[in-house]
């Protein structure tokens, strides 16, 4: 059964927060086939036996949590995929923060069109009052999580955090408005602070570049047309399904759905430096360089993309996988991992709520990636 965003909002705080921390992909459309697909190529550069031996531990629920889909692509071809019972190749899986990297690609398209400028102050109405220090925040700072805006990503207790408030409670009717109303906690550009609110500001900016209307339906239509025409169709991502808040703003920081194969194709778009499966240049190569360049305040983060570098705030596996590897990372153990030197994209979608499970998942993924020549 498909669950739309409006039905999620009706769940109420308790259930919504439980979904956030423990039930992630339960919002996905479940496959009907009782026999989950498990397919490994017999003619890949790595033996079928070795691939299965690396994939199987990722489905050990006690150690890894709930792995729902695992996909391995090399040179753009699927060479291995496995699904948990109830899931399959046609299952749309919730992305959580993998959505941030999708948003960054859309921002790149708007920068290449000249609609937005990377190092100019962003045009947010709430920040235009004379003397408002937020008026200095640039697009690059929003992308690199250095805006300086006061945002508590993970609250203690969880419902007190700004992300939960924005997605599920007092900010849910106008998520970007909630984020844009925050004061500065630090000077813009001075501090790395991971923030789903920053991504919501980006999606609002994009929408306002496409329409002057405040009507939610008009805003949704304008953004959806842009996504369909500039990314979904040319990128061969037929399952790409964003969701929108009540104000008509794409929830680009947390809630985008795709099948595992389309998550893989999205990773391949990044690996192929902005080229579609047919070789068409969808996104400028320069924008891929921007996304994969370490930011000044966190070498493990680029522009809405995690990099495999040593850092006190790192989401990948430095030292266990190539330094050139980068990835889109979602809540509690979702990964699109791209290793350009190995011509490899690996997708793991699931839910690993405990830290030790996430560490185990990353170690197992690094072991899988390590099978392939560089």
């Amino acid at each position: 059964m498909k669950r739309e965003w409006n039905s999620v909002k009706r769940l109420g705080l308790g259930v919504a927060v439980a979904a956030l921390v423990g039930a992630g992909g339960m919002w996905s459309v479940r496959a009907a086939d009782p026999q989950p697909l498990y397919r490994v190529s017999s003619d890949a550069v790595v033996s079928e036996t070795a691939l299965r031996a690396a994939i199987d531990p990722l489905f050990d629920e006690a150690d890894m949590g709930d792995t729902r889909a695992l996909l391995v692509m090399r040179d753009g071809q699927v060479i291995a995929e496995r699904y948990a019972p109830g899931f399959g190749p046609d299952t749309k899986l919730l992305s959580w923060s993998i959505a941030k990297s999708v948003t960054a690609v859309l921002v790149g398209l708007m920068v290449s069109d000249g609609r937005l400028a990377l190092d100019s102050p962003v045009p947010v109405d709430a920040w235009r009052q004379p003397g408002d220090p937020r008026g200095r925040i640039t697009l690059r700072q929003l992308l690199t999580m250095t805006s300086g805006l006061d945002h508590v990503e993970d609250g203690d207790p969880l419902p007190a955090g700004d992300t939960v408030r924005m997605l599920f409670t007092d900010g849910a009717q106008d998520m970007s408005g909630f984020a844009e109303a925050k004061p500065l906690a630090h000077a813009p550009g001075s501090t790395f602070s991971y923030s789903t609110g920053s991504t919501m500001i980006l999606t609002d900016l994009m929408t306002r570049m496409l329409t002057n209307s405040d009507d939610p339906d008009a805003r949704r239509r304008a953004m959806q047309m842009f996504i369909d025409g500039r990314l979904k169709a040319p990128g061969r991502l037929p399952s790409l399904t964003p969701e929108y808040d009540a104000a008509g703003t794409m929830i680009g920081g947390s809630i985008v759905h795709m099948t595992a194969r389309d998550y893989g194709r999205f990773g391949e778009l990044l690996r192929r430096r902005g080229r579609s499966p047919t070789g068409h240049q969808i996104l400028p190569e320069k924008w891929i360089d921007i996304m994969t360049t370490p930011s000044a305040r966190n070498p493990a983060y680029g522009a809405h993309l995690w990099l495999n570098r040593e850092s006190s705030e790192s989401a990948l596996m430095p030292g266990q996988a190539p330094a050139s590897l980068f990835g889109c990372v979602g809540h509690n153990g979702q990964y699109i991992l791209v290793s350009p030197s190995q011509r490899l994209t690996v997708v793991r979608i699931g839910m690993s709520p405990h830290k030790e499970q996430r560490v185990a998942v990353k170690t197992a993924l690094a072991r899988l990636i390590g099978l392939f020549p560089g």
Side-chain angles (χ1 to χ4, degrees):
M1 178 179 67
K2 182 177 179 182
R3 301 191 183 191
E4 300 292 348
W5 176 243
N6 286 339
S7 67
V8 173
K9 289 192 293 184
R10 288 195 295 269
L11 292 174
L13 174 61
V15 176
V17 173
L20 178 65
V21 298
M26 292 302 291
W27 295 353
S28 306
V29 181
R30 289 200 173 228
D33 188 353
Q35 296 298 322
L37 174 66
Y38 187 6
R39 180 176 67 88
V40 177
S41 174
S42 60
D43 59 356
V45 66
V46 176
S47 74
E48 179 179 353
T49 300
L51 278 172
R52 289 181 182 272
I55 290 168
D56 289 348
L58 283 155
F59 286 80
D60 184 330
E61 188 171 349
D63 291 339
M64 306 288 175
D66 183 10
T67 297
R68 293 159 186 179
L70 191 287
L71 184 86
V72 182
M73 299 180 75
R74 192 164 192 269
D75 291 325
Q77 301 300 313
V78 176
I79 61 171
E81 61 183 326
R82 180 177 173 181
Y83 298 89
F87 297 88
D90 297 325
T91 306
K92 287 186 181 181
L93 298 156
L94 177 64
S95 72
W96 295 121
S97 286
I98 286 175
K100 290 181 172 68
S101 301
V102 176
T103 296
V105 165
L106 296 170
V107 171
L109 292 169
M110 288 207 170
V111 170
S112 69
D113 290 348
R115 300 175 194 256
L116 293 170
L118 191 58
D119 291 306
S120 296
V122 291
V124 174
D125 288 341
W127 303 347
R128 285 180 169 173
Q129 294 298 318
D132 191 329
R134 298 174 299 177
R136 303 195 306 270
I137 296 171
T138 67
L139 192 73
R140 189 189 297 270
Q141 289 165 349
L142 289 170
L143 285 163
T144 58
M145 301 296 184
T146 59
S147 71
L149 290 169
D150 186 10
H151 179 90
V152 178
E153 184 71 10
D154 298 311
D156 185 16
L158 190 65
D162 290 321
T163 300
V164 170
R165 290 178 60 200
M166 183 177 66
L167 292 175
F168 296 113
T169 62
D170 51 312
Q173 295 299 303
D174 183 2
M175 297 182 191
S176 62
F178 178 90
E180 290 163 3
K182 288 289 184 175
L184 284 182
H186 307 279
S190 67
T191 305
F192 176 84
S193 182
Y194 189 84
S195 168
T196 299
S198 289
T199 314
M200 289 307 306
I201 295 170
L202 290 170
T203 55
D204 178 51
L205 284 170
M206 287 192 289
T207 306
R208 288 192 286 107
M209 294 301 107
L210 296 168
T211 177
N212 292 323
S213 177
D214 290 328
D215 176 69
D217 288 337
R219 286 168 57 84
R220 280 190 291 269
R221 285 195 301 270
M223 191 66 195
Q224 193 63 54
M225 287 180 63
F226 183 77
I227 294 167
D228 291 349
R230 298 295 297 279
L231 179 58
K232 184 173 181 174
R236 305 291 178 89
L237 305 172
S239 69
L240 171 58
T241 306
E243 295 199 28
Y244 297 83
D245 71 5
T249 307
M250 173 187 163
I251 311 173
S254 296
I255 303 177
V256 169
H257 307 261
M258 278 191 270
T259 64
R261 290 176 181 176
D262 280 357
Y263 284 123
R265 291 187 190 104
F266 179 77
E268 282 291 294
L269 175 66
L270 301 177
R271 185 188 70 83
R272 292 169 57 87
R273 297 184 57 75
R275 292 183 179 85
S276 73
T278 61
H280 177 64
Q281 193 76 44
I282 298 174
L283 187 69
E285 288 192 33
K286 183 179 180 181
W287 190 256
I288 303 298
D289 291 337
I290 289 168
M291 290 182 69
T292 55
T293 296
S295 63
R297 301 304 175 190
N298 184 358
Y301 201 76
H304 271 38
L305 197 68
W306 289 96
L307 312 178
N308 200 35
R309 308 292 182 90
E310 293 288 347
S311 169
S312 60
E313 297 181 82
S314 175
L316 298 182
M317 56 279 285
Q320 295 180 285
S324 60
L325 180 139
F326 57 84
C328 318
V329 180
H331 182 67
N332 279 355
Q334 299 175 313
Y335 300 96
I336 302 174
L337 300 175
V338 178
S339 181
S341 65
Q342 297 167 291
R343 312 197 304 276
L344 192 68
T345 295
V346 176
V347 175
R348 187 268 184 176
I349 303 295
M351 203 66 188
S352 301
H354 303 296
K355 182 179 179 179
E356 60 271 19
Q357 292 174 330
R358 296 192 293 276
V359 170
V361 167
K362 288 195 291 185
T363 299
L365 289 171
R367 189 177 299 119
L368 171 61
I369 289 167
L371 296 174
F372 292 84

